[in-house]
Amino acid sequence: MSDKHLSYADRWMLNYEREHQNVSRPTHQQYGQQFPDRQTIRAGLSPAMQSNNPGSACLWNDIPGLATELDPVVESAIQTRKALKLTQESFSRCLGISAKTLRDWEQGRRHPSGAAVTLLAWASLQPEFVRELHRASKARQRPDRQ
């Protein structure tokens, strides 16, 4: 394979290795037990996580202990949003928060604060008001046709 098909980082590394013959990349054997071998890693994966294509990344997170617990209020807000058939963007617009913030809450990357928990609880308990807010925001977006 020619150098022009390599990434910038790989090309830089090859050039560096050509210029510095006495330096080489550390191998797995040089690190000993610090890095587990491929078979050990595969043995620890659940069947859903094992890839049919060994060169591809795994997109599922089934490893115990890595999954984060969602706040019950966030879970009920997710159920409400899905019951109303709203996207994260439209639901967040109705609540007056950013879509990124809602996405982070729903994916467990962040947790809502006290006021945000109250807002999500209200949205879960009063879905008809959220529906009305959504209708009103859609009406504001469309110019009146006469």
Side-chain angles (χ1 to χ4, degrees):
M1 184 192 305
S2 69
D3 286 3
K4 69 179 181 178
H5 297 290
L6 297 174
S7 70
Y8 178 79
D10 288 336
R11 271 187 268 140
W12 182 89
M13 182 59 91
L14 283 175
N15 288 334
Y16 184 85
E17 288 174 342
R18 285 180 194 142
E19 293 170 7
H20 302 85
Q21 296 291 324
N22 60 339
V23 177
S24 64
R25 295 184 198 191
T27 62
H28 178 73
Q29 288 78 21
Q30 289 173 322
Y31 282 105
Q33 294 299 324
Q34 184 176 359
F35 297 111
D37 64 343
R38 200 173 283 206
Q39 295 300 327
T40 306
I41 293 171
R42 285 187 166 232
L45 298 177
S46 70
M49 294 179 69
Q50 293 177 2
S51 174
N52 293 333
N53 184 356
S56 297
C58 177
L59 301 178
W60 299 278
N61 182 5
D62 276 358
I63 301 172
L66 287 184
T68 58
E69 292 289 322
L70 282 182
D71 190 312
V73 175
V74 174
E75 287 180 357
S76 64
I78 292 170
Q79 291 171 356
T80 301
R81 178 181 66 78
K82 289 181 178 180
L84 294 172
K85 298 180 180 169
L86 297 177
T87 63
Q88 289 177 335
E89 287 77 18
S90 59
F91 189 67
S92 64
R93 206 174 312 121
C94 292
L95 299 179
I97 58 176
S98 76
K100 182 184 181 323
T101 299
L102 180 66
R103 197 173 304 116
D104 287 346
W105 291 342
E106 288 189 1
Q107 294 174 357
R109 288 192 294 253
R110 300 195 64 198
H111 300 284
S113 65
V117 168
T118 304
L119 179 65
L120 292 175
W122 172 83
S124 298
L125 294 172
Q126 305 291 333
E128 63 275 359
F129 289 122
V130 177
R131 183 179 290 121
E132 288 301 317
L133 287 170
H134 178 64
R135 286 184 188 145
S137 69
K138 282 175 60 174
R140 271 186 267 128
Q141 288 176 352
R142 283 188 245 139
D144 291 342
R145 296 179 184 169
Q146 296 177 354

